Amino acid sequence: MKDLFPALDYFTQLAKSNRLATEHDFHPCLCSGPDSIQGVMDSFRKHKNFIMVDDTTSQQTFSNGVGYFRRDVYTVFIVAHYRYDDMAEREQKLNLCRQLFRQFHSRLLHDRDGLGDERLTYLQLNNIYSTELGRYAMNGVTGLYFMVQNEQPIDISYEQSEWT
């Protein structure tokens, strides 16, 4: 059985190695779900833009009739600060976040298909869900989050030795 996809390390490394993200000082970091984003962004004095990888994962175990799989859903937030009430700058920053998302998606496809990176074998990259933050979701912040699914085979064989 292969190890599960190392999502936190992989997405953090993508954020650190993307030219557009580094040129615009996007700070890669972890968060724990959408409720903790505001706490991370309270460090605006140090950073204005963030790529946050959610360190909590939604999971599902399912059968396709032949075997069992574990579906993990990974969430990445790309957010940028803009001057409050400057809707032109907000649109500019949202477009920047959209461009970063496109580049991340492109890199995921490249790494899985072009490099044959075995860690990415089970990522479902043909249909990635993304949602943009509403205009009034957080004052002075715009961006989006995207979700990637990994559906990896697992062994759930019964082991008598695990029971008393």
Side-chain angles (χ1 to χ4, degrees):
M1 173 82 54
K2 293 180 184 179
D3 291 335
L4 293 175
F5 173 60
L8 300 180
D9 294 338
Y10 181 80
F11 286 116
T12 300
Q13 185 56 43
L14 284 188
K16 290 178 180 177
S17 63
N18 179 274
R19 288 185 188 192
L20 187 61
T22 56
E23 287 171 6
H24 290 274
D25 196 29
F26 276 83
H27 176 65
C29 58
L30 303 179
C31 68
S32 293
D35 295 337
S36 75
I37 293 174
Q38 189 63 44
V40 172
M41 292 187 311
D42 283 344
S43 65
F44 269 151
R45 284 177 240 158
K46 293 181 184 178
H47 307 285
K48 298 286 185 198
N49 304 320
F50 296 89
I51 296 176
M52 295 176 276
V53 182
D54 190 340
D55 63 5
T56 59
T57 303
S58 297
Q59 298 174 355
Q60 177 184 13
T61 300
F62 68 96
S63 173
N64 66 356
V66 176
Y68 282 88
F69 291 80
R70 173 176 157 173
R71 177 181 293 140
D72 295 311
V73 180
Y74 306 111
T75 305
V76 178
F77 297 86
I78 303 173
V79 296
H81 177 71
Y82 66 93
R83 285 183 302 277
Y84 182 73
D85 282 339
D86 186 339
M87 292 299 109
E89 185 182 29
R90 178 191 177 277
E91 187 65 24
Q92 177 187 15
K93 295 294 178 82
L94 181 55
N95 284 333
L96 174 63
C97 295
R98 290 171 177 150
Q99 189 173 2
L100 281 168
F101 168 57
R102 188 209 58 80
Q103 290 180 10
F104 270 55
H105 192 180
S106 172
R107 177 64 185 265
L108 284 160
L109 289 165
H110 173 267
D111 287 356
R112 185 192 68 187
D113 301 337
L115 296 180
D117 189 334
E118 288 187 16
R119 300 176 307 164
L120 284 70
T121 299
Y122 300 105
L123 286 180
Q124 304 300 309
L125 302 178
N126 295 331
N127 185 16
I128 295 181
Y129 180 80
S130 69
T131 299
E132 295 180 356
L133 301 177
R135 182 171 292 192
Y136 302 107
M138 289 180 256
N139 290 336
V141 177
T142 191
L144 56 87
Y145 65 91
F146 66 93
M147 300 165 76
V148 178
Q149 292 185 19
N150 188 52
E151 296 180 356
Q152 189 162 333
I154 59 171
D155 180 6
I156 59 170
S157 302
Y158 175 79
E159 292 289 335
Q160 178 62 40
S161 63
E162 297 172 343
W163 299 90
T164 58

